[in-house]
Amino acid sequence: VQLQASGGGLVQPGGSLRLSCAASGRSMYAIKAVAWYRQAPGNQRELVATITRGDITNYGDSVKGRYTISGNSAKNTVYLQMNNLEPEDTAVYYCKVTDTTGFVSWGRGTQVTVSS
């Protein structure tokens, strides 16, 4: 599976961004789960949100109530809607796909910067 993450950028505190993770090479129906992670400089990679093929979602404590993960199987794309962004949300965001065989693929990442 090849992944293309996009949608990052510079936003002011309190603003919103929507990230996209487009998968190619495999149908979304062959994908077991998609996850978004983020990594800030000097920090470990942190799990942000996950969605399974059955649309079961899970969120990290730091983003609950602010972020929403969703999928569009027709477009082979998973989205991460991020609202009420805080400077602490600044990081490179990565998407990870686990297919039904257990194989894992990572996208390259997209930079999100929250600053006034």
Side-chain angles (χ1 to χ4, degrees), residues 40-57:
N43 290 357
Q44 292 186 334
R45 195 166 289 191
E46 172 191 14
L47 177 63
V48 174
T50 61
I51 186 168
T52 69
R53 191 169 60 173
D55 287 336
I56 297 171
T57 59

Side-chain angles (χ1 to χ4, degrees), residues 10 15 18 36 44 47-48 56 64 69-70 77 79 86 99 104-105 114:
L10 173 64
R18 188 177 79 159
W36 283 97
Q44 292 186 334
L47 177 63
V48 174
I56 297 171
K64 281 181 181 176
I69 188 170
S70 62
T77 301
Y79 303 99
E86 304 167 352
D99 72 16
V104 173
S105 301
V114 185

Side-chain angles (χ1 to χ4, degrees), residues 4 16-18 26 33-34 36 40 47 53 58 60 63 66 73 77-78 80 88 93-94 98 102 111 113 115:
Q4 180 66 48
S16 299
L17 283 174
R18 188 177 79 159
R26 295 289 298 274
V34 179
W36 283 97
L47 177 63
R53 191 169 60 173
N58 192 34
V63 305
R66 300 188 297 121
S73 57
T77 301
V78 169
L80 184 68
E88 293 74 21
Y93 284 69
Y94 300 89
T98 304
Q111 175 71 47
T113 302
S115 175

